[in-house]
Amino acid sequence: MIYNVLGDVKDLFNIDVDNISFKGIDLIPEGDFSYRILDDKERDEVIVNILKKIESDNKIVGMPERTDTWSKGWLESLEEFRKIGTPTSLIPRYMKPNQFMRLNRQFVYTNDPHFEWHAYQIFKLCLFTKYLKDFKYIYELGCGTGHNLLTLAQLFPEKILYGFDFVKSSSDLVNLIASKFNYNITGDLFDMLQPDMSKSLKPNSVVLTCGAIEQLASNTTPILEYLLSQPIELCVHLEPIYELYEETNLVDYLAMKFHIKRGYTVGYLPKLQELEKQGKIDILEIKRLSFGSLYMEGYTCIIWKPLKGQL
Ligand SMILES: C[S@@+](CC[C@H](N)C(=O)[O-])C[C@H]1O[C@@H](n2cnc3c(N)ncnc32)[C@H](O)[C@@H]1O
């Protein structure tokens, strides 16, 4: 059975597409959003391949050698952007085209090999327009190639944007994007595991992370302490959140196994929930988007704000 997702973005993400501004409409990627649920044989093959990947995968996040991997990866993107200079050269290399993916806790086959990327772009346009439009300063931590910052600059050219990452090739790339398109974006070095407490974020600002808290291998206390010490108004995360998977669902269970094997962060949401109990923050939204790669669901949305005077 073929479903049409684009016509039903509201149901998929439970976010009103009316939020997308005029500029955002122009940024909606063209893509084929039809898909079908796998038959039994295909599903068995997919599950066996995922189990093999979980057994053989040897990347562990947070290991010292991973810093070098990120540095080299973003250097390649920097060189490609220098040569080609188009936004597509900023699509991160970890976002591999694949027609098999997870959607609504099932494995599906999509006609568009870039379905995951395209769906993610549409969701971000809704999210950014709904939650970020009122802030003058936006900081993305762990910003990688800077593609989110480019989208933000296209949506809100009047805002002042910062992209922080712990490898220099990322901040060089962000600064190159800024100078090429003449956008108000600044790239800078920043290690979320050892935040420079002297680096002050501006009032009336929002902090964004996309697949970056996941990289901290559960060592999230330093960045939380840093964020709570700053005069920020809002934090928006798009991250894989282990605690929201359902252990009784096989598609989710495989993601949980993969998440633990890779060493992605666990325990971040419980820490936020504890801070909320202590009256230090208010969690405004916790939302699974229920789509992702074969291995994980990388885009759970958590939005919180510090409660001023409570820290
Ligand atoms: C999965 S990528 C996500 C990049 C980008 N946010 C995106 O949406 O494409 C993770 C990013 O986190 C960065 N990173 C990993 N550990 C970090 C740390 N301790 N401090 C700051 N950035 C870090 C990596 O260099 C990489 O750019």
Side-chain angles (χ1 to χ4, degrees):
M1 188 171 174
I2 303 292
Y3 300 82
N4 186 317
V5 178
L6 187 56
D8 222 348
V9 170
K10 187 175 183 324
D11 281 355
L12 188 67
F13 301 133
N14 195 19
I15 274 202
D16 205 331
V17 280
D18 295 346
N19 281 321
I20 299 186
S21 64
F22 188 62
K23 279 196 186 108
I25 296 284
D26 283 350
L27 297 174
I28 288 184
E30 277 179 31
D32 178 351
F33 288 87
S34 55
Y35 66 92
R36 64 173 172 78
I37 292 165
L38 301 189
D39 65 31
D40 288 352
K41 186 167 174 292
E42 287 170 322
R43 183 177 145 102
D44 280 359
E45 280 171 14
V46 158
I47 291 170
V48 168
N49 284 334
I50 293 172
L51 288 170
K52 285 185 178 164
K53 169 84 173 170
I54 293 170
E55 278 162 18
S56 66
D57 192 71
N58 56 11
K59 291 184 191 146
I60 306 284
V61 305
M63 297 303 273
E65 61 270 20
R66 295 295 298 158
T67 310
D68 204 36
T69 310
W70 286 119
S71 180
K72 286 189 180 133
W74 298 150
L75 189 61
E76 282 173 29
S77 301
L78 172 72
E79 278 157 8
E80 193 179 320
F81 183 72
R82 223 180 240 132
K83 254 191 258 147
I84 306 175
T86 59
T88 47
S89 46
L90 302 174
I91 298 177
R93 277 142 208 274
Y94 59 78
M95 184 68 75
K96 306 229 178 347
N98 192 350
Q99 285 174 273
F100 292 97
M101 60 176 283
R102 58 181 56 230
L103 186 65
N104 296 329
R105 280 157 245 201
Q106 309 204 61
F107 292 118
V108 302
Y109 181 84
T110 66
N111 286 332
D112 177 3
H114 301 283
F115 182 117
E116 184 188 353
W117 175 251
H118 289 149
Y120 182 41
Q121 296 318 295
I122 294 176
F123 174 72
K124 281 192 307 191
L125 289 171
C126 298
L127 180 81
F128 291 171
T129 326
K130 180 167 179 190
Y131 284 103
L132 307 188
K133 69 174 185 320
D134 295 330
F135 300 95
K136 181 162 180 199
Y137 303 97
I138 302 175
Y139 296 86
E140 184 181 358
L141 308 186
C143 64
T145 65
H147 63 89
N148 293 318
L149 295 159
L150 179 62
T151 302
L152 285 166
Q154 289 167 322
L155 275 177
F156 312 116
E158 71 290 355
K159 292 196 190 302
I160 300 171
L161 308 174
Y162 295 90
F164 292 171
D165 204 285
F166 77 152
V167 293
K168 188 167 176 302
S169 49
S170 161
S171 32
D172 288 348
L173 177 49
V174 166
N175 288 323
L176 187 64
I177 296 169
S179 61
K180 180 172 169 64
F181 297 118
N182 203 17
Y183 282 131
N184 203 339
I185 316 176
T186 308
D188 206 352
L189 279 175
F190 185 82
D191 185 349
M192 286 189 280
L193 289 172
Q194 295 169 14
D196 175 354
M197 300 302 270
S198 68
K199 201 186 258 307
S200 305
L201 307 185
K202 309 244 194 241
N204 193 19
S205 65
V206 52
V207 166
L208 170 71
T209 75
C210 303
I213 298 291
E214 67 168 42
Q215 295 293 320
L216 304 181
S218 307
N219 188 2
T220 52
T221 302
I223 190 61
L224 266 175
E225 283 177 357
Y226 173 79
L227 292 174
L228 291 175
S229 74
Q230 298 298 314
I232 57 172
E233 297 282 335
L234 196 72
C235 250
V236 174
H237 302 293
L238 284 173
E239 300 284 342
I241 299 294
Y242 183 81
E243 291 77 12
L244 294 182
Y245 288 124
E246 281 169 28
E247 217 176 354
T248 50
N249 175 278
L250 178 61
V251 179
D252 272 10
Y253 185 72
L254 291 169
M256 293 171 84
K257 288 280 167 205
F258 183 72
H259 192 113
I260 294 298
K261 180 75 193 288
R262 274 272 167 105
Y264 290 125
T265 288
V266 295
Y268 188 65
L269 177 60
K271 272 187 197 166
L272 291 177
Q273 287 166 328
E274 182 53 36
L275 286 168
E276 186 175 48
K277 258 196 225 145
Q278 294 168 9
K280 293 183 176 169
I281 69 168
D282 201 0
I283 300 177
L284 307 178
E285 181 134 34
I286 301 175
K287 185 176 172 54
R288 273 184 76 171
L289 296 195
S290 298
F291 78 99
S293 70
L294 276 186
Y295 305 119
M296 64 196 285
E297 210 178 274
Y299 318 109
T300 291
C301 178
I302 301 179
I303 302 181
W304 60 274
K305 64 172 186 184
L307 291 177
K308 303 230 162 96
Q310 302 296 319
L311 306 178

